[in-house]
Amino acid sequence: MPYFINVILPIPLEKLFTYSVSDAEAKFLEPGMRVAVPFGKSKIYSALVHEVHQTPPTVYEAKEIHQILDETPLVTKTQIKHWTWIANYYMCSIGEVFRTAVPSAFLLESETLILRNTKFEPEESELLDDEFLVYEALQHQSILRVHEISAILDKKTILPVLNRLLDKNIIVLKEEVYEQYKPKMVRYVRLGNQYLSEEKLEALLKSLTRAKKQTQVVLSLFQLQAISKKPIKVSELEEASKSSSAIIKTLIDKNILEEYFIQTDRVVYSKDDENSDLKDLNEYQQEALAVIKENFTQKKPTLLHGVTSSGKTEVYVKLIENCLKTGKQALYLLPEIALTTQLISRLQEYFGEKVAVYHSKYSVQERVEVWNNVLANKSKAQIVIGARSALFMPFKLLGLIIVDEEHESSFKQYDPAPRYHARDAAIVLANFHDGNILLGSATPSLETFYNVQVGKYGYASILRRFGDVLMPDIELVDIKEQSRKKRMKGHFSERLFNEINETLENGEQVILFQNRRGFAPIVECTTCGNSPQCPNCDVSLTYHQYKKQLRCHYCGYHIALPLACDACGSPTLDTKGFGTEQIEQELQKLYPEAKVGRMDLDTTRGKYGYEKIITAFEQQELDILVGTQMLTKGLDFRNVSLVGIMNADTLLNFPDFRAHERSFQLLTQVAGRAGRTKKRGKVLIQSYNPYHQILKQVSTGDFEGMYKEQLYERQQHKYPPVNRILKITFKHKDYNKINEAAEWFTKGLRNSFGVHVLGPEFPPVARIRNQYLKHVLIKIPNGQSLAKTKNSIKRIEKSFNAISQYASVRVIYNVDYI
């Protein structure tokens, strides 16, 4: 009887695909292995085996697989179970989860190769110039790749040329699957086997008496072997003997030395002498730890609500230590890559090389190595630290998940699918592994705190700072009044200016927070009021002074700063608003002696971008650090005594039901960077409306007051946590078509869900990358079945897709939209 396999393809199609395999292949294959399979006319994909069975597909004839890519499963059964849950819950395909979850090096796609058709000789005179160039190149080289032809023709679009050559039978195309991951091989060297006896060695040294440099290399090799029993790298031998690689190569060619290669990980922990002992916990931390352990025995997800600088990390470290003693792995999730920089060194201090790091700033090759180490449960991957993507690692025995700063919106993926929330997906993953999960935050999200109140989650708290350091003194500064009295120095109030002066005189550091990068968000003509807009998106272009250009922060479009207004030709261009770049420039004028640094998306692009700035600030090479919200998330600087918030109103006046909750969290978190040692820190919040209720709650640290107020409002208007929210986005380049399509779909939704449907509405930025967007919100009461709701929506979508004029409109689902 024939055998078949169902596979997951890394494409956005909701079903599994069936391929036929031989008896021997069926016996060898297991779920989680990769196979290369043909799909469509000529493409070859790497697919993941979901199951082996003997039921042939009914609708189509199963194709044979191309080849088997793995000897053992690359993905565990628990992972596939977790991916299936993510796909079902977040209304996407399991193929999209597969594509997001694994390092891209595992997704082997075929590359198109161009070969000359040897059965046909064309008339060269009939070929066009670009066709002849390709034909000529193929006579010298048997195979060409697409990018090589692009270089030969000096064109980006070469498809028309290839199509013409195919029509004329001059070329044939071939698909080839290629492996992206190449292990790092380090070159080592040792003495040839024939020279291991003393007599032979003596004879060798005598024969080399005239070649002093070669003698020096051989003697250096002996010295290195005497000092260390480890294999000797070629680079070490070069350095020790002060010789060149050419001399070592000569000795290898003479068979005096023998070279060999050892596979090495790209990310290697630089080991110090001994791991540090874990710090002793104070009484408040011990109480919290005992409560957490008690909740863990009941298998409850637990919230650790600890004020900023209360020592939550030390509690996490104790829990990780306990987890490792049971022989299980631990996962530590962080919302921001910047945070991993500080935390890695702290955890490596305690746990040495057991710590592995996984996030998008690592290269594909490095991520593959971490993946393989976790899969093999190696000692060097017992603790995994990472941003949300670390959730997809192939854990065998996961005992503990810590989600630090659980309130952060960075844990939610927006694009592409799956649009999952790492905190919620982590709770499900811990359940699948029968492990424990701890959510930590100084400002928990309303949803999490609500789950604590209704008894769904456990709760532990640390309401004092470590070492009994006082909470920072928060002061609200009225910049409306200061502007009226002309006491502002640029964007600095007199109060903030004097405090920065005093702080710098005391040799302490300052953090300034402005949640907008660039120099100014708008460049405006003072004569006619025109401001340059992005041609692809409905937003004005942001001015970046360091590059003298206007940039769109949505699609990346940029132009040089115009010298005159495009509309009226007047040279009177002025900027409105301010970003981190402008603050940095003002500081350099106001405090010429101070060293100013900036931390935003523009300055942290490189792999070590975060590390360089954070290290410079920690080592007090910078006096003032200006930054966006990446500064607010759990960073620990010992010498910061002043935090300035340049304009709190931009956060408060945002059109979103979560704006006030987010403002409270962000302002409290950034305030928590001040005064983390003995001296009490100071926080100055500049605002045009210092009497705003949220600002008062931030200044008094009244989380419970904020929670009760916001919960009451959400209950009145049926928003989370009392209701679930599902956002549907429609996307199309035609304005009229998207209006019609969204109205048709919403009518179907209203028939099913009535008053719980809001929209369709254009968002504040209604067009991005030349695509119009329209949103519909569905409020799902807590008693209503989420699965049935999703099924109803999918049925409406099926009818919608059957209408030919709407087939090109993209429908995007965002479950638990935040």
Side-chain angles (χ1 to χ4, degrees):
M1 210 173 155
Y3 282 91
F4 300 92
I5 54 168
N6 285 352
V7 300
I8 303 166
L9 282 166
I11 52 176
L13 293 173
E14 296 205 2
K15 56 184 180 180
L16 302 176
F17 291 86
T18 307
Y19 287 84
S20 69
V21 288
S22 66
D23 291 8
E25 286 169 336
K27 287 189 180 80
F28 179 75
L29 285 169
E30 292 175 52
M33 283 185 178
R34 290 175 308 151
V35 287
V37 296
F39 189 76
K41 283 185 181 175
S42 59
K43 270 281 177 198
I44 293 168
Y45 282 101
S46 60
L48 200 69
V49 177
H50 188 268
E51 60 187 317
V52 182
H53 60 90
Q54 291 189 301
T55 314
T58 52
V59 184
Y60 55 90
E61 196 173 320
K63 292 179 183 176
E64 289 181 4
I65 63 169
H66 189 274
Q67 66 187 93
I68 296 172
L69 298 170
D70 297 316
E71 290 181 14
T72 54
L74 189 79
V75 170
T76 66
K77 285 180 182 173
T78 311
Q79 272 180 295
I80 295 175
K81 189 178 168 187
H82 189 228
W83 294 359
T84 307
W85 178 85
I86 289 174
N88 291 338
Y89 188 83
Y90 292 104
M91 297 178 79
C92 62
S93 71
I94 194 166
E96 289 171 309
V97 184
F98 173 37
R99 180 173 278 280
T100 300
V102 301
S104 57
F106 289 147
L107 298 170
L108 312 184
E109 288 183 18
S110 57
E111 185 178 27
T112 305
L113 304 178
I114 294 97
L115 294 82
R116 187 162 72 90
N117 185 357
T118 50
K119 294 172 184 172
F120 182 75
E121 283 298 326
E123 281 291 327
E124 290 181 14
S125 57
E126 290 176 9
L127 298 179
L128 299 175
D129 290 351
D130 50 9
E131 295 169 0
F132 181 73
L133 283 171
V134 177
Y135 174 67
E136 190 180 36
L138 283 168
Q139 286 180 313
H140 298 290
Q141 210 172 323
S142 57
I143 292 173
L144 286 175
R145 286 172 168 78
V146 172
H147 66 89
E148 290 168 339
I149 291 179
S150 185
I152 290 164
L153 300 178
D154 197 18
K155 281 182 185 177
K156 280 189 179 175
T157 313
I158 60 158
L159 203 59
V161 183
L162 294 180
N163 283 336
R164 290 201 306 269
L165 288 165
L166 277 170
D167 291 343
K168 293 177 180 178
N169 280 331
I170 292 162
I171 61 167
V172 288
L173 302 181
K174 184 185 168 193
E175 293 291 322
E176 183 189 70
V177 177
Y178 60 99
E179 181 78 70
Q180 287 175 302
Y181 171 65
K182 289 183 177 66
K184 183 182 178 185
M185 306 302 286
V186 176
R187 195 164 156 237
Y188 288 84
V189 71
R190 60 187 168 214
L191 201 62
N193 287 336
Q194 64 269 43
Y195 299 108
L196 293 177
S197 66
E198 280 186 36
E199 305 86 53
K200 290 279 173 72
L201 190 58
E202 215 171 302
L204 168 65
L205 290 170
K206 276 181 187 173
S207 69
L208 292 174
T209 46
R210 293 182 68 185
K212 286 182 181 174
K213 286 189 176 177
Q214 291 181 17
T215 309
Q216 182 60 40
V217 169
V218 175
L219 292 171
S220 297
L221 183 63
F222 273 111
Q223 284 173 336
L224 287 170
Q225 281 174 335
I227 298 164
S228 165
K229 298 292 174 200
K230 290 178 183 173
I232 311 299
K233 289 181 189 174
V234 171
S235 55
E236 288 174 354
L237 184 57
E238 269 181 49
E239 200 179 314
S241 61
K242 295 184 175 58
S243 63
S244 67
S245 55
I247 293 161
I248 294 172
K249 189 178 183 305
T250 307
L251 288 166
I252 291 167
D253 292 344
K254 287 180 177 179
N255 291 329
I256 294 168
L257 296 183
E258 190 182 306
E259 70 172 342
Y260 60 104
F261 293 86
I262 296 177
Q263 187 177 328
T264 314
D265 275 6
R266 285 170 171 84
V267 182
V268 182
Y269 165 62
S270 50
K271 191 162 172 53
D272 295 329
D273 299 339
E274 278 299 314
N275 295 340
S276 305
D277 292 331
L278 268 59
K279 288 181 185 172
D280 290 329
L281 303 184
N282 64 25
E283 56 178 305
Y284 308 109
Q285 289 171 317
Q286 284 173 344
E287 276 173 30
L289 185 65
V291 173
I292 291 165
K293 285 180 176 174
E294 174 60 33
N295 281 311
F296 280 178
T297 58
Q298 298 168 36
K299 288 295 172 197
K300 268 189 178 182
T302 304
L303 169 67
L304 173 58
H305 183 188
V307 296
T308 53
S309 193
S310 58
K312 293 189 288 292
T313 308
E314 304 309 326
V315 176
Y316 301 156
V317 166
K318 283 282 185 198
L319 287 167
I320 291 170
E321 185 193 33
N322 294 341
C323 172
L324 295 189
K325 280 178 185 170
T326 63
K328 292 188 174 182
Q329 296 162 304
L331 170 62
Y332 195 138
L333 289 178
L334 289 156
E336 190 73 63
I337 297 167
L339 274 176
T340 59
T341 307
Q342 275 196 336
L343 191 73
I344 293 158
S345 49
R346 276 173 86 174
L347 287 187
Q348 282 178 340
E349 222 176 272
Y350 299 135
F351 300 110
E353 59 176 14
K354 288 180 180 175
V355 179
V357 186
Y358 188 87
H359 56 65
S360 60
K361 280 277 193 284
Y362 270 32
S363 73
V364 167
Q365 315 282 10
E366 289 166 344
R367 276 185 274 169
V368 168
E369 281 163 11
V370 177
W371 180 283
N372 289 336
N373 290 341
V374 173
L375 184 62
N377 202 3
K378 287 189 180 172
S379 63
K380 62 173 83 171
Q382 292 304 295
I383 305 163
V384 177
I385 306 177
R388 59 174 185 252
S389 56
L391 185 75
F392 295 112
M393 298 300 283
F395 297 101
K396 290 278 178 74
L397 289 163
L398 186 57
L400 174 69
I401 303 177
I402 292 166
V403 184
D404 200 9
E405 311 296 345
E406 64 81 28
H407 64 277
E408 274 295 340
S409 57
S410 319
F411 278 126
K412 174 79 173 172
Q413 170 147 319
Y414 291 97
D415 269 314
R419 293 169 181 84
Y420 66 99
H421 197 302
R423 177 196 63 213
D424 301 341
I427 290 169
V428 174
L429 182 66
N431 186 31
F432 285 161
H433 279 276
D434 198 28
N436 298 313
I437 181 157
L438 181 70
L439 314 174
S441 178
T443 51
S445 64
L446 252 69
E447 284 87 342
T448 301
F449 205 70
Y450 179 78
N451 282 329
V452 167
Q453 300 290 319
V454 297
K456 197 174 172 184
Y457 292 179
Y459 180 73
S461 62
I462 311 173
L463 301 177
R464 283 178 182 237
R465 281 187 150 191
F466 192 80
D468 286 331
V469 176
L470 289 170
M471 293 298 286
D473 174 24
I474 299 175
E475 190 180 316
L476 303 172
V477 180
D478 187 349
I479 47 178
K480 187 179 182 180
E481 186 69 15
Q482 295 257 315
S483 302
R484 195 173 61 78
K485 292 180 177 174
K486 298 199 166 39
R487 287 185 176 173
M488 296 288 287
K489 292 180 187 292
H491 293 98
F492 293 84
S493 62
E494 194 175 36
R495 186 84 186 84
L496 182 56
F497 175 76
N498 293 336
E499 281 292 342
I500 294 173
N501 246 339
E502 197 182 313
T503 306
L504 295 177
E505 280 168 16
N506 293 339
E508 292 158 349
Q509 290 170 298
V510 181
I511 283 177
L512 293 175
F513 168 70
Q514 169 62 6
N515 205 19
R516 180 165 272 156
R517 64 189 172 102
F519 186 85
I522 296 171
V523 172
E524 188 178 79
C525 171
T526 54
T527 306
C528 71
N530 180 61
S531 64
Q533 302 287 309
C534 173
N536 311 317
C537 312
D538 284 345
V539 284
S540 54
L541 296 172
T542 302
Y543 175 40
H544 285 250
Q545 196 178 49
Y546 77 110
K547 281 190 172 176
K548 290 277 185 290
Q549 57 179 215
L550 298 174
R551 296 188 74 89
C552 173
H553 287 176
Y554 284 85
C555 69
Y557 170 83
H558 56 90
I559 53 167
L561 178 71
L563 299 171
C565 172
D566 291 339
C568 71
S570 169
T572 56
L573 294 176
D574 194 14
T575 59
K576 287 268 166 66
F578 63 103
T580 48
E581 234 182 274
Q582 194 167 337
I583 301 293
E584 183 185 27
Q585 195 183 86
E586 282 183 13
L587 285 167
Q588 283 160 350
K589 286 178 187 166
L590 293 170
Y591 308 99
E593 302 298 310
K595 293 185 185 73
V596 182
R598 177 161 57 91
M599 185 167 162
D600 56 29
L601 197 64
D602 298 318
T603 60
T604 54
R605 290 201 186 274
K607 184 176 178 181
Y608 301 107
Y610 293 106
E611 211 170 307
K612 284 173 190 166
I613 297 166
I614 288 170
T615 308
F617 196 61
E618 272 182 329
Q619 294 173 355
Q620 296 173 34
E621 292 164 20
L622 299 171
D623 301 312
I624 305 173
L625 185 58
V626 185
T628 54
Q629 62 179 3
M630 56 177 72
L631 261 183
T632 66
K633 302 170 186 178
L635 293 166
D636 187 18
F637 301 117
R638 314 308 294 169
N639 196 39
V640 173
S641 64
L642 176 68
V643 167
I645 290 149
M646 299 306 297
N647 187 351
D649 305 306
T650 51
L651 302 168
L652 293 164
N653 303 328
F654 198 73
D656 181 32
F657 72 91
R658 280 193 172 85
H660 286 179
E661 178 196 354
R662 290 243 177 93
S663 302
F664 181 90
Q665 289 165 343
L666 203 55
L667 295 172
T668 304
Q669 289 285 345
V670 76
R673 303 312 112 217
R676 293 173 77 93
T677 45
K678 291 292 169 205
K679 187 181 172 184
R680 189 179 188 189
K682 197 165 196 68
V683 180
L684 294 179
I685 300 177
Q686 295 190 157
S687 168
Y688 285 97
N689 181 13
Y691 305 106
H692 196 289
Q693 186 65 10
I694 286 289
L695 296 182
K696 284 183 178 175
Q697 287 162 347
V698 169
S699 63
T700 54
D702 184 11
F703 173 79
E704 296 244 348
M706 184 277 295
Y707 168 75
K708 282 173 187 163
E709 255 179 45
Q710 292 301 309
L711 185 66
Y712 175 75
E713 274 189 29
R714 306 268 183 98
Q715 282 168 336
Q716 296 306 304
H717 300 291
K718 309 235 176 336
Y719 279 109
V722 286
N723 279 33
R724 277 210 162 95
I725 277 209
L726 196 154
K727 184 172 85 166
I728 304 175
T729 302
F730 301 93
K731 213 174 187 181
H732 198 267
K733 61 179 185 293
D734 186 322
Y735 179 83
N736 293 323
K737 191 169 275 188
I738 197 169
N739 275 330
E740 285 173 35
E743 283 296 342
W744 190 98
F745 203 109
T746 310
K747 205 174 274 181
L749 293 171
R750 283 219 170 85
N751 290 339
S752 296
F753 308 115
V755 293
H756 295 301
V757 179
L758 299 183
E761 279 297 326
F762 285 109
V765 180
R767 183 174 58 105
I768 297 173
R769 293 190 176 91
N770 278 323
Q771 298 268 333
Y772 287 98
L773 305 173
K774 215 155 190 194
H775 293 331
V776 174
L777 278 189
I778 303 172
K779 295 175 180 177
I780 306 165
N782 269 349
Q784 188 175 314
S785 162
L786 195 61
K788 283 180 183 171
T789 304
K790 289 174 187 169
N791 288 338
S792 301
I793 295 167
K794 284 286 182 188
R795 276 200 301 275
I796 295 166
E797 190 193 2
K798 207 172 253 182
S799 308
F800 176 82
N801 289 335
I803 302 167
S804 58
Q805 73 220 53
Y806 300 151
S808 57
V809 177
R810 263 190 81 198
V811 181
I812 297 162
Y813 298 108
N814 196 334
V815 181
D816 293 344
Y817 156 69
I818 68 163

